[in-house]
Amino acid sequence: MKRSNRLAWMSVIALAAIVLLSLFAAPNNTKINAGSTYNRASDGYGAWYAFIQQQGISIKRWQKPFSDIQPDNNPFTFLQVSSDLKETTLDSQKREWVEKGNTLVILGAWARVTEAEFSTMQRSPQGDIKIDTRRRYRKAKQKQVDLGDRFGAVVWEENYKQGKVIFSTTPYLAANAYQDYLSNFKYLASLVTEKGNIVFVDEYIHGYKDADVRKKESEGDLFSFFAKTAVFPIVVQVGILLLVLIWAQNRRFGKPVALDTPVVDNSSAYIQALAGVLQKADTTDFVVEMVGKQEQLQLQKALGLGQIPLEHQALINFWIEKTGASAAELDAVLKLQSRKQPISERELLSWLGKWRTIRLIRNS
């Protein structure tokens, strides 16, 4: 093959590697989009958002960090549909914001899995609410529970001075999958409009950002975006590899080194060949007899008993006297050895393993 063709093939392989690595290393947006009002899939909230707008309720999408919320004389409700279950403890920033009279609604709060049925219908003033989760929050007091059963709370609220936080153990309270359950949509609408506040839906946690936020976070152009992803370092490394291949013209760095001719071990080759023949001939009894004699002679030698094969019981008695160990393993291998009948491969391996155990005991 010509050098130019080799370089072309190397380039094609490198490009294919980049594509495959991009598919596996690129961020997975499926989970982060769960709960987004832009998402029309079953785990999105696009249908509920449209439902709220049809009711004439003032609702807006928030595409900035929570820290960018400016103090306002008019309290509002902030809805977060979390793709990851969140702890029910607020950080200092959110707690201070809530205490000023605002309402925070968190769908997807962490709670323990209980023995409740996965799919249940919970009663509410808006009708029966379909709930698909076994998670229940058991620390809520009865007056805090807005939706729940004997296993615990599904939806509950906690007051913080002038404001409050509403938690839900399921992030799918009014997801697109529940469009046939209009009571779910109405129930969530009642939660976020209880005080008549303007409703903001957090889209920042789902990856949606205003232009000024993207610029501030260095995502204003395509290069900046890829620089923050896992694909960028991979592309850089592959690019460096291609440059090295082109510069070196696919040649070795240094003089070629001759390979050493491997030395053939005749004994090892003979043993392997003989083992293959014996395996095909299914002569495990011959293997047991030959290996057993050698193992017994090696054992007698280690015990100082000479090279003349002893009776099995005599050997067992000397074994107990010299080592003080149990004779069960030795008795088992000697009995199998004296059978002189073909055995299965599993029995052969077990027999060899027992001899190995005996060798370890005698050498210890």
Side-chain angles (χ1 to χ4, degrees), residues 189-349:
S190 69
L191 292 181
V192 298
T193 60
E194 184 178 355
K195 291 187 176 182
N197 300 340
I198 297 176
V199 182
F200 284 87
V201 183
D202 191 355
E203 288 294 344
Y204 181 83
I205 61 174
H206 300 295
Y208 296 97
K209 304 174 184 179
D210 291 338
D212 58 331
V213 176
R214 290 198 302 271
K215 185 176 181 181
K216 182 180 178 181
E217 297 181 358
S218 300
E219 295 182 6
D221 52 37
L222 188 61
F223 179 80
S224 299
F225 171 76
F226 279 108
K228 296 181 68 175
T229 64
V231 180
F232 182 73
I234 296 173
V235 173
V236 171
Q237 293 177 30
V238 174
I240 294 174
L241 177 62
L242 285 175
L243 290 176
V244 170
L245 289 174
I246 294 172
W247 176 73
Q249 296 182 357
N250 203 24
R251 293 179 298 181
R252 295 184 182 92
F253 292 98
K255 297 180 179 179
V257 179
L259 297 176
D260 296 331
T261 303
V263 179
V264 179
D265 188 344
N266 293 327
S267 297
S268 177
Y270 172 76
I271 292 172
Q272 292 179 3
L274 179 60
V277 172
L278 293 175
Q279 183 180 20
K280 290 182 179 179
D282 195 19
T283 54
T284 53
D285 54 337
F286 177 78
V287 176
V288 170
E289 181 181 358
M290 293 296 101
V291 175
K293 286 182 179 179
Q294 289 301 317
E295 289 287 352
Q296 181 175 342
L297 291 176
Q298 291 296 325
L299 177 59
Q300 290 184 193
K301 183 179 179 181
L303 297 176
L305 301 177
Q307 297 295 315
I308 300 176
L310 298 177
E311 291 294 332
H312 289 173
Q313 188 58 46
L315 180 58
I316 291 173
N317 294 336
F318 275 109
W319 168 262
I320 296 174
E321 180 183 348
K322 294 289 186 179
T323 65
S326 171
E329 295 283 348
L330 181 58
D331 184 49
V333 295
L334 293 177
K335 284 183 177 179
L336 183 65
Q337 179 179 326
S338 63
R339 283 171 49 185
K340 296 184 180 180
Q341 294 179 356
I343 60 176
S344 65
E345 185 176 348
R346 177 179 294 180
E347 290 176 318
L348 178 61
L349 293 175

Side-chain angles (χ1 to χ4, degrees), residues 88-103:
T88 55
T89 303
L90 300 183
D91 57 37
S92 57
Q93 185 182 52
K94 288 183 178 179
R95 185 186 183 98
E96 182 181 355
W97 179 79
V98 172
E99 288 177 348
K100 293 179 180 179
N102 298 293
T103 301

Side-chain angles (χ1 to χ4, degrees), residues 122-125 136-159 164-169 187 191 194:
Q122 304 286 336
R123 294 182 179 179
S124 77
R136 299 291 189 273
Y137 186 74
R138 294 181 174 179
K139 295 182 180 180
K141 298 179 181 179
Q142 187 61 37
K143 63 180 182 180
Q144 294 177 307
V145 178
D146 195 76
L147 206 66
D149 48 31
R150 63 187 180 90
F151 297 101
V154 177
V155 178
W156 73 100
E157 61 181 53
E158 297 179 7
N159 295 319
K164 67 177 179 180
V165 183
I166 300 174
F167 295 100
S168 169
T169 60
Y187 177 71
L191 292 181
E194 184 178 355

